[in-house]
Amino acid sequence: MVQSVLFVCLGNICRSPLAEGVFRSLVFEAGRSGEFEIDSAGTGAWHIGDPPDPRSIEIAAKYGVDITGQKARQVSDDDFDRFDTIVAMDRSNLTNLNSRSNGGTAHIRLLLDDPVQEVPDPYCGGPDSFENVYQMIRAGGQRLLSTLTDQYS
Ligand code: 4NP
């Protein structure tokens, strides 16, 4: 069975492209690439068509993950039926997604929900913010992968 997962932040240039790339790499390492469709999007429209922020590209590359091929897009109405799981980086993304879901079938959740932790917006931060975001995304991605694989195995 193929599961689809959409990672969502505000701009789709910093956090969610990193989450998409890191989760894809975790899935690959687990030998489960054929079992997942993975994408990312932003709630905002400012960066549609842009590549990831150079700071996200850099931190991903530091950990062996290539996210240079991604292009930002905005969340669309059909995402709420197309994806099995939609993963928000922070509470603001979560609120936005819940208010747009309009009865869609996707399960909408925070990346880190037990205990609740928000992946903070690093856009205006320094290099430490990107390191911190990477570590949170990696930990959250590992937990998400084990939750999703337990659920369907
Ligand atoms: P992201 O970061 O949501 O992690 O992609 C941001 C990127 C751009 C903006 C805000 C957050 N912006 O306001 O342009």
Side-chain angles (χ1 to χ4, degrees):
M1 183 191 139
V2 175
Q3 294 189 61
S4 50
V5 183
L6 179 69
F7 293 95
V8 173
C9 62
L10 180 57
N12 192 212
I13 56 165
C14 296
R15 292 166 290 177
S16 59
L18 198 50
E20 175 187 338
V22 167
F23 191 69
R24 183 170 287 121
S25 133
L26 291 168
V27 164
F28 177 78
E29 284 165 17
R32 292 182 178 268
S33 293
E35 298 169 40
F36 284 90
E37 277 170 27
I38 305 161
D39 196 6
S40 67
T43 58
W46 310 284
H47 297 283
I48 292 172
D50 290 352
D53 186 287
R55 297 165 295 175
S56 279
I57 290 177
E58 192 184 339
I59 199 77
K62 178 179 168 189
Y63 292 101
V65 177
D66 180 5
I67 61 168
T68 54
Q70 295 186 36
K71 274 202 174 6
R73 72 169 181 90
Q74 192 173 19
V75 172
S76 67
D77 289 342
D78 63 354
D79 287 332
F80 295 94
D81 289 312
R82 250 184 74 204
F83 287 90
D84 299 310
T85 307
I86 302 182
V87 182
M89 295 296 119
D90 64 26
R91 281 195 181 91
S92 162
N93 309 145
L94 185 67
T95 304
N96 184 299
L97 289 165
N98 279 326
S99 68
R100 280 194 57 182
S101 81
N102 197 26
T105 50
H107 172 56
I108 303 172
R109 52 163 287 171
L110 268 181
L111 178 64
L112 292 157
D113 61 0
D114 184 22
V116 168
Q117 268 183 297
E118 301 185 276
V119 181
D121 182 348
Y123 190 56
C124 298
D128 286 359
S129 339
F130 282 80
E131 179 70 39
N132 178 44
V133 157
Y134 171 83
Q135 296 299 341
M136 292 182 90
I137 282 174
R138 184 170 168 90
Q142 281 169 326
R143 269 146 62 179
L144 178 67
L145 181 57
S146 64
T147 303
L148 294 180
T149 48
D150 286 354
Q151 200 168 301
Y152 289 101
S153 57

